[in-house]
Amino acid sequence: MLLPSRRGLQPLKLALTVAAYLSLAALLYCSFGPHIVLPRYGSPAAESSQPHPPQAKGHLVPLEAHIMSKCPDAKDCLRDLVLPAMQKVHEKVNFTLSFIGKPTENDGVACMHGPGECLGNIIELCAQLLYPDPKTFLGFTMCLTRDYQEIPQRELIEDCALEHAIDFDRLNECATKDNSAFGVKLLRESVRRTAEAGVTKSCTVRLDDQVYCIRDGGKWTDCPHGPGVNDLVVAISKLYSA
Ligand SMILES: *[C@@H]1O[C@H](CO)[C@@H](O)[C@H](O)[C@H]1NC(C)=O
Protein backbone atom coordinates (compact mmCIF):
# COMPACT_ATOMS: atom_id res chain seq x y z
CA MET A 1 0.00 0.00 0.00
CA LEU A 2 1.43 3.30 -1.10
CA LEU A 3 -0.46 5.75 1.06
CA PRO A 4 0.90 6.26 4.55
CA SER A 5 -1.41 5.99 7.55
CA ARG A 6 -2.48 9.13 9.32
CA ARG A 7 -1.53 7.61 12.64
CA GLY A 8 1.73 6.05 13.68
CA LEU A 9 5.14 7.23 12.62
CA GLN A 10 6.32 5.33 9.59
CA PRO A 11 9.46 5.82 7.55
CA LEU A 12 7.52 7.60 4.80
CA LYS A 13 5.89 9.94 7.26
CA LEU A 14 9.27 10.71 8.77
CA ALA A 15 10.61 11.44 5.32
CA LEU A 16 7.68 13.79 4.69
CA THR A 17 8.38 15.65 7.93
CA VAL A 18 11.97 16.19 6.89
CA ALA A 19 10.75 17.33 3.49
CA ALA A 20 8.39 19.79 5.18
CA TYR A 21 11.29 21.45 6.98
CA LEU A 22 13.34 21.62 3.83
CA SER A 23 10.58 23.41 1.98
CA LEU A 24 9.54 25.68 4.84
CA ALA A 25 11.07 28.76 3.28
CA ALA A 26 8.97 28.26 0.19
CA LEU A 27 5.66 27.75 1.98
CA LEU A 28 4.31 31.25 1.54
CA TYR A 29 5.00 31.74 -2.13
CA CYS A 30 4.30 28.70 -4.22
CA SER A 31 6.28 29.58 -7.26
CA PHE A 32 8.93 27.04 -7.99
CA GLY A 33 11.82 26.99 -5.57
CA PRO A 34 13.62 24.18 -3.74
CA HIS A 35 12.54 20.73 -4.69
CA ILE A 36 12.74 17.10 -3.81
CA VAL A 37 12.68 14.36 -6.35
CA LEU A 38 10.01 11.69 -6.55
CA PRO A 39 11.67 8.99 -8.63
CA ARG A 40 9.87 7.07 -11.30
CA TYR A 41 9.72 3.47 -10.22
CA GLY A 42 9.75 0.34 -12.32
CA SER A 43 9.09 -0.12 -16.01
CA PRO A 44 7.88 2.67 -18.29
CA ALA A 45 4.67 0.84 -19.11
CA ALA A 46 1.46 2.86 -19.27
CA GLU A 47 1.36 5.05 -22.37
CA SER A 48 -2.35 5.50 -22.88
CA SER A 49 -4.40 7.69 -20.60
CA GLN A 50 -5.27 11.36 -21.07
CA PRO A 51 -6.69 13.52 -18.29
CA HIS A 52 -9.84 14.15 -20.37
CA PRO A 53 -12.10 11.50 -21.82
CA PRO A 54 -13.89 12.45 -25.03
CA GLN A 55 -16.74 14.84 -24.35
CA ALA A 56 -19.81 15.41 -26.46
CA LYS A 57 -20.25 19.17 -26.87
CA GLY A 58 -18.12 21.80 -28.59
CA HIS A 59 -17.77 25.52 -27.81
CA LEU A 60 -17.00 24.89 -24.18
CA VAL A 61 -14.80 27.61 -22.73
CA PRO A 62 -11.42 26.33 -21.53
CA LEU A 63 -10.86 27.14 -17.87
CA GLU A 64 -7.78 25.82 -16.14
CA ALA A 65 -6.35 26.03 -12.65
CA HIS A 66 -2.65 25.28 -12.21
CA ILE A 67 -1.89 24.29 -8.65
CA MET A 68 0.38 22.39 -6.26
CA SER A 69 -1.60 20.15 -3.91
CA LYS A 70 0.16 21.36 -0.74
CA CYS A 71 0.11 25.08 -1.55
CA PRO A 72 -2.01 27.38 0.64
CA ASP A 73 -2.69 29.67 -2.33
CA ALA A 74 -4.37 26.77 -4.10
CA LYS A 75 -6.85 26.54 -1.25
CA ASP A 76 -7.85 30.22 -1.41
CA CYS A 77 -7.94 30.16 -5.18
CA LEU A 78 -10.19 27.10 -5.49
CA ARG A 79 -12.42 28.07 -2.57
CA ASP A 80 -12.89 31.77 -3.37
CA LEU A 81 -12.82 31.86 -7.17
CA VAL A 82 -12.78 28.59 -9.12
CA LEU A 83 -15.40 26.57 -7.24
CA PRO A 84 -17.99 29.33 -6.84
CA ALA A 85 -17.63 30.24 -10.54
CA MET A 86 -17.91 26.59 -11.58
CA GLN A 87 -21.03 26.19 -9.46
CA LYS A 88 -22.67 28.89 -11.57
CA VAL A 89 -21.46 28.08 -15.10
CA HIS A 90 -19.99 24.57 -15.14
CA GLU A 91 -22.11 23.63 -18.15
CA LYS A 92 -20.27 26.24 -20.28
CA VAL A 93 -16.78 25.23 -19.21
CA ASN A 94 -14.20 22.63 -20.14
CA PHE A 95 -12.33 22.60 -16.86
CA THR A 96 -8.80 21.25 -16.44
CA LEU A 97 -6.85 20.94 -13.22
CA SER A 98 -3.10 21.01 -13.91
CA PHE A 99 -0.04 20.77 -11.71
CA ILE A 100 3.19 22.64 -11.27
CA GLY A 101 6.45 20.76 -10.82
CA LYS A 102 9.73 19.95 -12.53
CA PRO A 103 10.37 16.91 -14.68
CA THR A 104 13.60 15.21 -13.63
CA GLU A 105 16.15 13.45 -15.78
CA ASN A 106 15.28 10.02 -14.40
CA ASP A 107 11.69 10.36 -15.67
CA GLY A 108 10.42 11.46 -12.25
CA VAL A 109 8.92 14.73 -11.10
CA ALA A 110 10.19 17.14 -8.45
CA CYS A 111 7.54 18.86 -6.35
CA MET A 112 8.20 22.05 -4.40
CA HIS A 113 6.67 20.78 -1.16
CA GLY A 114 8.29 17.36 -1.42
CA PRO A 115 7.32 13.84 -2.49
CA GLY A 116 4.12 13.98 -0.44
CA GLU A 117 2.95 16.80 -2.69
CA CYS A 118 3.81 14.80 -5.81
CA LEU A 119 1.68 11.97 -4.44
CA GLY A 120 -1.16 14.38 -3.63
CA ASN A 121 -0.97 15.75 -7.20
CA ILE A 122 -1.13 12.22 -8.59
CA ILE A 123 -4.16 11.37 -6.47
CA GLU A 124 -5.95 14.51 -7.69
CA LEU A 125 -5.03 13.68 -11.30
CA CYS A 126 -6.33 10.14 -10.85
CA ALA A 127 -9.61 11.56 -9.51
CA GLN A 128 -9.84 13.79 -12.60
CA LEU A 129 -9.15 10.83 -14.87
CA LEU A 130 -11.58 8.44 -13.20
CA TYR A 131 -14.34 10.95 -12.37
CA PRO A 132 -14.17 13.58 -15.12
CA ASP A 133 -17.25 15.47 -13.94
CA PRO A 134 -15.77 18.56 -12.23
CA LYS A 135 -18.49 18.37 -9.57
CA THR A 136 -16.80 15.19 -8.39
CA PHE A 137 -13.06 15.63 -8.94
CA LEU A 138 -13.00 19.35 -8.18
CA GLY A 139 -15.11 18.82 -5.06
CA PHE A 140 -12.76 16.05 -4.00
CA THR A 141 -9.71 18.23 -4.67
CA MET A 142 -11.23 21.10 -2.67
CA CYS A 143 -11.86 18.68 0.21
CA LEU A 144 -8.18 17.62 0.24
CA THR A 145 -6.96 21.19 -0.21
CA ARG A 146 -8.89 22.36 2.87
CA ASP A 147 -6.47 20.17 4.88
CA TYR A 148 -3.53 20.53 2.49
CA GLN A 149 -0.98 20.10 5.29
CA GLU A 150 -2.26 16.55 5.81
CA ILE A 151 -1.90 15.54 2.16
CA PRO A 152 -1.17 12.65 1.34
CA GLN A 153 -2.31 10.95 4.55
CA ARG A 154 -4.56 8.05 3.86
CA GLU A 155 -7.34 8.93 6.26
CA LEU A 156 -7.83 12.37 4.69
CA ILE A 157 -8.00 10.84 1.23
CA GLU A 158 -10.47 8.20 2.39
CA ASP A 159 -12.67 10.82 4.08
CA CYS A 160 -12.74 13.07 1.00
CA ALA A 161 -13.32 10.12 -1.33
CA LEU A 162 -16.29 9.02 0.76
CA GLU A 163 -17.67 12.55 0.81
CA HIS A 164 -17.57 12.77 -3.00
CA ALA A 165 -18.65 9.23 -3.87
CA ILE A 166 -15.18 8.30 -5.11
CA ASP A 167 -14.04 4.70 -4.82
CA PHE A 168 -10.85 4.85 -2.77
CA ASP A 169 -9.62 1.51 -4.11
CA ARG A 170 -9.87 2.70 -7.71
CA LEU A 171 -7.97 5.86 -6.78
CA ASN A 172 -5.26 3.90 -5.05
CA GLU A 173 -5.05 1.47 -7.94
CA CYS A 174 -4.58 4.37 -10.39
CA ALA A 175 -1.88 5.98 -8.22
CA THR A 176 0.06 2.76 -7.66
CA LYS A 177 -0.45 1.01 -11.02
CA ASP A 178 2.73 -0.34 -12.69
CA ASN A 179 4.77 0.34 -9.59
CA SER A 180 3.55 3.98 -9.64
CA ALA A 181 4.86 4.55 -13.18
CA PHE A 182 1.30 5.23 -14.38
CA GLY A 183 0.65 7.98 -11.83
CA VAL A 184 4.07 9.55 -12.32
CA LYS A 185 3.41 9.65 -16.06
CA LEU A 186 0.08 11.43 -15.48
CA LEU A 187 1.92 13.97 -13.36
CA ARG A 188 4.74 14.43 -15.90
CA GLU A 189 2.20 15.13 -18.65
CA SER A 190 0.36 17.62 -16.47
CA VAL A 191 3.58 19.36 -15.42
CA ARG A 192 4.67 19.59 -19.04
CA ARG A 193 1.33 21.11 -20.02
CA THR A 194 1.78 23.76 -17.31
CA ALA A 195 5.35 24.52 -18.43
CA GLU A 196 4.23 24.88 -22.05
CA ALA A 197 1.67 27.46 -20.89
CA GLY A 198 4.52 29.36 -19.18
CA VAL A 199 2.89 29.00 -15.77
CA THR A 200 5.10 28.84 -12.65
CA LYS A 201 2.90 30.06 -9.79
CA SER A 202 0.33 28.17 -7.77
CA CYS A 203 -2.41 29.12 -8.16
CA THR A 204 -2.73 30.41 -11.73
CA VAL A 205 -6.19 30.53 -13.29
CA ARG A 206 -6.30 30.62 -17.09
CA LEU A 207 -9.41 31.38 -19.11
CA ASP A 208 -9.44 30.58 -22.83
CA ASP A 209 -5.68 29.88 -22.63
CA GLN A 210 -4.87 33.33 -21.19
CA VAL A 211 -3.84 34.07 -17.61
CA TYR A 212 -6.98 35.38 -15.92
CA CYS A 213 -5.81 35.71 -12.32
CA ILE A 214 -3.04 34.52 -9.98
CA ARG A 215 -3.19 33.83 -6.26
CA ASP A 216 0.31 34.07 -4.84
CA GLY A 217 1.66 34.64 -1.33
CA GLY A 218 -1.87 35.07 0.06
CA LYS A 219 -2.76 37.82 -2.43
CA TRP A 220 -4.44 38.14 -5.81
CA THR A 221 -2.00 39.33 -8.47
CA ASP A 222 -2.14 39.64 -12.26
CA CYS A 223 -5.93 39.92 -12.23
CA PRO A 224 -6.79 42.68 -14.75
CA HIS A 225 -10.51 41.92 -14.38
CA GLY A 226 -10.30 41.52 -10.61
CA PRO A 227 -10.67 38.34 -8.54
CA GLY A 228 -14.46 38.56 -8.29
CA VAL A 229 -16.54 35.44 -8.94
CA ASN A 230 -19.19 37.34 -10.91
CA ASP A 231 -16.60 38.92 -13.21
CA LEU A 232 -15.27 35.46 -14.05
CA VAL A 233 -18.80 34.16 -14.59
CA VAL A 234 -19.54 37.06 -16.95
CA ALA A 235 -16.27 36.52 -18.83
CA ILE A 236 -17.06 32.82 -19.28
CA SER A 237 -20.61 33.52 -20.45
CA LYS A 238 -19.35 36.09 -22.99
CA LEU A 239 -16.80 33.67 -24.43
CA TYR A 240 -19.39 30.88 -24.52
CA SER A 241 -21.89 32.84 -26.55
CA ALA A 242 -19.27 34.46 -28.80
C1 LIG B 1 -11.14 19.94 -22.92
O1 LIG B 1 -9.81 20.32 -22.68
C2 LIG B 1 -8.87 19.28 -22.86
C3 LIG B 1 -7.53 19.80 -22.43
O2 LIG B 1 -7.22 20.98 -23.07
C4 LIG B 1 -8.88 18.80 -24.30
O3 LIG B 1 -7.97 17.76 -24.47
C5 LIG B 1 -10.29 18.35 -24.65
O4 LIG B 1 -10.35 18.02 -26.03
C6 LIG B 1 -11.31 19.45 -24.36
N1 LIG B 1 -12.66 18.95 -24.57
C7 LIG B 1 -13.61 19.68 -25.18
C8 LIG B 1 -14.94 19.02 -25.31
O5 LIG B 1 -13.43 20.81 -25.60
Side-chain angles (χ1 to χ4, degrees), residues 46-60:
E47 295 292 327
S48 58
S49 232
Q50 293 297 316
H52 279 272
Q55 285 169 320
K57 299 185 198 79
H59 301 111
L60 293 177

Side-chain angles (χ1 to χ4, degrees), residues 60-78:
L60 293 177
V61 181
L63 179 69
E64 186 158 6
H66 301 262
I67 64 167
M68 303 175 178
S69 61
K70 287 175 78 69
C71 172
D73 294 308
K75 173 175 155 180
D76 303 340
C77 175
L78 295 180

Side-chain angles (χ1 to χ4, degrees), residues 31 66 92 94 101 123 134 150 189 191 214 222 236:
S31 46
H66 301 262
K92 298 176 182 169
N94 179 4
I123 287 159
E150 293 182 26
E189 283 169 358
V191 159
I214 296 175
D222 301 273
I236 289 169

Side-chain angles (χ1 to χ4, degrees), residues 12 15 19 39 51 56 62 65 76 88 116 134 141 154 163 169 208 221-222 241:
L12 180 55
D76 303 340
K88 293 189 175 169
T141 298
R154 184 189 170 111
E163 198 177 306
D169 292 334
D208 204 18
T221 64
D222 301 273
S241 46

